Amino acid sequence: MSLALSLTRYRRLIMLLMVIALVLIAVEMTGLREQLSVSFLREQLEANPVSGAIVFIVVFVVGNLIQLPGWIFLVAAILALGTVMGGMVTYMAAVTSCLVTFALVRGLGGNALREINNPWAKKILARLDTHPVRSVTVLRMLFQTMPALNYTLALSGVPLRPYVIGTLLGLPFPITLYCLFFDRILLLLPIG
């Protein structure tokens, strides 16, 4: 296969990689990367819960796009808002982040994984097609908002509705477990 044909075939994936690179560069050049910390997020949430929650959600979305782990956001929310409210705000941010990532990646990359001519990949996609809601729910329970999962599901061709339902159903269980875990850890640490 010639280079020109390869580039044409994978142009959507190349565009997606370029956009992700631009987001990373923008985050780095604006200094936002230094602001993505538990203390910054906690300050935002404590200063004003409404505007802080909006900032929290936006930062969670950007953080998810640039591969930051979600536990940073959850810890900040628990410290600022308590276990229950922190968990709820994190759930809203996680769902929003998954949906924004899905829309962005699907819009740029389309169903690129469907073009892979590999029997193993085709078998996985067939299973996803057979039980999309169950598959997304289980994947969310296991991998939560992991950026690689978001990108893979968006590029897999799974329809939006099963993606949304599976995300809504799959995230509460792990977020609740993490909330309880971090709540217990924070009780043992002298963090004020």
Side-chain angles (χ1 to χ4, degrees):
M1 180 181 317
S2 72
L3 179 60
L5 184 59
S6 290
L7 289 176
T8 301
R9 185 173 185 189
Y10 297 110
R11 75 177 164 71
R12 294 185 87 172
L13 285 177
I14 293 168
M15 279 185 1
L16 175 62
L17 291 173
M18 288 173 40
V19 167
I20 293 167
L22 288 174
V23 169
L24 284 168
I25 291 167
V27 166
E28 201 62 46
M29 292 185 74
T30 61
L32 184 60
R33 191 174 219 25
E34 289 82 37
Q35 298 299 321
L36 297 176
S37 66
V38 171
S39 59
F40 170 77
L41 294 168
R42 182 180 181 186
E43 288 170 15
Q44 296 302 308
L45 288 166
E46 286 177 342
N48 183 336
V50 175
S51 66
I54 293 168
V55 168
F56 180 83
I57 290 169
V58 169
V59 172
F60 194 114
V61 169
V62 172
N64 199 254
L65 284 171
I66 63 169
Q67 315 293 317
L68 285 179
W71 66 265
I72 292 171
F73 301 98
L74 182 59
V75 170
I78 290 172
L79 285 171
L81 303 173
T83 303
V84 174
M85 283 304 292
M88 289 171 49
V89 169
T90 300
Y91 176 71
M92 290 185 330
V95 169
T96 303
S97 176
C98 290
L99 295 176
V100 168
T101 302
F102 183 88
L104 178 67
V105 173
R106 174 66 60 86
L108 293 171
N111 301 330
L113 293 180
R114 299 285 173 171
E115 295 178 15
I116 295 175
N117 199 7
N118 177 298
W120 188 67
K122 288 184 184 287
K123 184 177 179 182
I124 291 171
L125 291 172
R127 185 167 297 220
L128 180 62
D129 291 341
T130 305
H131 304 287
V133 172
R134 182 183 340 157
S135 298
V136 174
T137 301
V138 170
L139 288 168
R140 286 286 176 223
M141 289 175 138
L142 295 173
F143 302 109
Q144 299 85 46
T145 62
M146 178 186 267
L149 174 63
N150 293 336
Y151 286 41
T152 302
L153 288 172
L155 296 171
S156 73
V158 66
L160 178 61
R161 185 170 184 218
Y163 178 83
V164 170
I165 293 169
T167 297
L168 291 171
L169 294 174
L171 285 176
F173 180 71
I175 289 175
T176 300
L177 287 179
Y178 281 126
C179 281
L180 295 173
F181 173 76
F182 285 122
D183 184 57
R184 298 297 167 238
I185 295 294
L186 294 173
L187 285 175
L188 300 174
L189 298 175
I191 297 175

